[in-house]
Amino acid sequence: MGKKLVLTAALLSLATPAFAADIIQPAPVKAPMPPAPIFTWTGFYIGAHGGGAWSKWTGIDPTDPTSTWSSVSASGGVVGGQIGGNYQISNFVVGLEGTGAWSSVTLNAGGPFGGGAGFNLTLKNDYVATVAGRLGVVFDRVLLYAKGGAAFTRDRYSANNGLAGALAGSAAGAFNRTGWVAGGGVEWMFMPNWSVRVEYNYLGFGAITEQPVTSGNLVATPANVKLNIQTGTIGVNYHF
């Protein structure tokens, strides 16, 4: 009997440390949370925009070379799209962007640019397009930027002398222009991959020689006409 007690005590003494080791286990260590991704404006984007535009033609009417130097203004809307890319360096962003927009800027009138009283005149910008560099400063998800580069448009000239029969005459022409653009805006990344922006641009086009094609009882002579356009737009971009 004594030997059994001694053997039992020995077995218990050997099992106790292992049993205690099974009970006292260190709590598992949780893996640290991954750091939140750092926001950046770097990347490509595509979007759409729309707003208003204001044009001003200055020169002499091709159908009335005796008229004095004068100017006329027109307004309308623009709707189009843009594509570009940004690269962020610290708190600054550099980028390149191309835009293209259909334009409804149209003037329907008579007078100085219509050969004088009795003439009917239409001046119109078909489209407005730009290729420009952008430079901006960021405040987290807000980007303030300026832009500058090349601008393109086409203006259409159409006139008639308001007469009928053998005395009727008309003139028409389409003239492509290349100039420059300067502007700026503010853009806000309101949710992942999506931003909204407000932008103003001034487009300057130097004087070019315009000579419409005439028919009937109307003569047109070459005339220098210059043009400037201002646009104010709201746009949205999707960032890849």
Side-chain angles (χ1 to χ4, degrees), residues 199-214:
E199 184 174 285
Y200 167 83
N201 289 303
Y202 184 97
L203 295 79
F205 301 93
I208 64 171
T209 300
E210 296 187 351
Q211 183 169 12
V213 177
T214 61

Side-chain angles (χ1 to χ4, degrees), residues 40-45 84-97 132-138 143-146:
T40 178
W41 286 86
T42 297
F44 295 97
Y45 61 88
N86 295 317
Y87 186 75
Q88 182 170 343
I89 306 171
S90 184
N91 290 332
F92 298 94
V93 168
V94 294
L96 181 67
E97 180 180 85
R134 299 204 311 170
L135 176 62
V137 58
V138 300
L143 169 63
L144 299 177
Y145 63 89

